[in-house]
Amino acid sequence: MNLKKHMVLIVGGTISLVLILAALVMLFRFHGAFKKVNSELQSSMNRLTFLHQRDPYPSEANVEQMRKQADLLQGFFTNLYGQLQVGQLEPENMESAQFPLLLERTIRKLLDSSMTANVKLPARFAFGFDRYAKGELPSSSDIPRLVVQVKEVEELCNLLYKSKIGEIVSVTREVFEQGGSMAQPTEPQGGGRRRGMANQSEQNASATAIFPHQPDAGEQAGLYSREHYTLTFASNDSSIREVLNAMARSPLFVVVSNLELDNAGKSVKKGADILPAKAPAPSSSVVAPAGSVPSAVGAKDTAVSREQRIVAGREPVVVKLEVDVYRFAGAQQEEATP
């Protein structure tokens, strides 16, 4: 066979074979890509068919209706936040040297109001701001929140005054300042019961310092902020109810988170305290009328007054009241920054 004679055919056939193999490889690859694109197209067509068959169909009119409903919900949300913001206390920017003046004026007003309301206070009481009442200047970045705390403490104490309580034992705020510790309540002058309550308040304050307040999802999202306060005071039952009602009526958004009552200062009356000192032993054969002390046969019944029959409930009670005061941030409200 003469290869030189058929060299052109051999070279041409080889090239054609290589091209055919390359075309087959490319065809196989493009076939895989075509199947993938075709599968996506089929999925999109199925989705389109499903949307066309929905009830109601997502037409332009339906989209516009949903947009109107979203606007209504946004308007409701804005209006609700506007109502929640009514009466809340806003932060203020001021120089570090101005804050002690504000605190001094507030403490003086609270002291004067306590005298007018006949409410006892501990000696040299600073309402939870002892470190600043002693002359320490706050950091400029802490002033806006400190101003809010001062105003809120003033409002809470005024609520206690108006409720006609007998004595404020301590006021504790949440200390957020860097390097600060929980404000220790001032120990009042008086008996051991008050001193014991002050020591208990100090223990609770230390526990709060060890386990600080953790912001929840709403606070982290910037929807609202809250301040935690502990008010310890002595009062009777009617004044305690008035305090709770006053907080519910307050323009501040006050939520009671804990309430503890301590009635250890006076024991409950026993039967011997109600009966007359020389009352004879009652006879089992004689039934005494209601409201009287049974006596021996032939002896005159001794009437017991209503006041004498009351065994407990009118003595002063030491109350530990923990509250959270919320502040709500609106679309047009921005926190004051130094």
Side-chain angles (χ1 to χ4, degrees), residues 21-270:
L21 292 176
L24 290 175
V25 172
M26 296 298 294
L27 179 62
F28 179 78
R29 293 183 59 184
F30 284 125
H31 178 69
F34 169 77
K35 290 181 63 177
K36 181 178 180 181
V37 172
N38 187 52
S39 176
E40 294 177 355
L41 176 61
Q42 188 63 33
S43 176
S44 299
M45 293 298 295
N46 293 337
R47 176 65 177 169
L48 178 61
T49 303
F50 172 76
L51 292 176
H52 278 289
Q53 295 176 353
R54 287 186 61 183
D55 186 19
Y57 176 73
S59 61
E60 291 296 331
N62 293 333
V63 172
E64 182 64 23
Q65 183 67 22
M66 294 300 297
R67 184 178 294 110
K68 291 181 179 179
Q69 293 182 5
D71 293 340
L72 288 176
L73 289 176
Q74 183 62 38
F76 172 78
F77 176 80
T78 304
N79 181 57
L80 175 62
Y81 256 64
Q83 294 179 1
L84 292 175
Q85 292 171 3
V86 175
Q88 72 180 13
L89 301 173
E90 303 297 341
E92 295 181 12
N93 280 323
M94 60 179 61
E95 297 295 333
S96 298
Q98 294 177 307
F99 178 76
L101 300 178
L102 171 65
L103 180 60
E104 182 181 358
R105 289 195 302 267
T106 303
I107 292 178
R108 186 182 300 112
K109 288 192 297 183
L110 290 175
L111 293 177
D112 294 340
S113 299
S114 68
M115 296 178 63
T116 303
N118 197 24
V119 177
K120 296 180 181 179
L121 295 177
R124 298 180 297 278
F125 195 48
F127 299 90
F129 298 91
D130 301 77
R131 56 188 297 191
Y132 303 113
K134 294 177 181 178
E136 180 177 342
L137 294 179
S139 173
S140 58
S141 60
D142 297 333
I143 288 180
R145 186 174 175 183
L146 281 173
V147 171
V148 171
Q149 288 188 340
V150 170
K151 293 180 179 180
E152 290 178 346
V153 167
E154 181 181 7
E155 291 294 328
L156 293 175
C157 289
N158 285 329
L159 290 180
L160 297 182
Y161 295 160
K162 294 178 181 178
S163 301
K164 298 180 180 180
I165 66 169
E167 176 184 1
I168 293 182
V169 179
S170 67
V171 175
T172 305
R173 66 183 179 90
E174 179 183 353
V175 176
F176 64 93
E177 305 94 289
Q178 184 178 4
S181 59
M182 180 58 65
Q184 299 297 326
T186 306
E187 180 177 328
Q189 304 294 329
R193 181 172 64 89
R194 294 290 190 270
R195 186 173 294 107
M197 284 301 301
N199 293 336
Q200 181 65 31
S201 300
E202 291 180 359
Q203 295 175 4
N204 296 333
S206 300
T208 309
I210 297 175
F211 303 100
H213 163 70
Q214 297 295 332
D216 55 22
E219 290 177 277
Q220 294 176 355
L223 296 177
Y224 57 83
S225 61
R226 58 176 170 172
E227 300 292 344
H228 186 78
Y229 303 98
T230 302
L231 310 173
T232 305
F233 57 93
S235 179
N236 53 31
D237 290 348
S238 60
S239 295
I240 296 173
R241 291 192 297 269
E242 181 58 31
V243 168
L244 298 178
N245 291 332
M247 289 185 175
R249 296 190 301 264
S250 171
L252 299 180
F253 199 95
V254 182
V255 177
V256 176
S257 58
N258 186 42
L259 176 62
E260 298 179 11
L261 305 178
D262 183 10
N263 192 18
K266 187 175 182 180
S267 60
V268 177
K269 292 181 181 179
K270 300 180 181 179

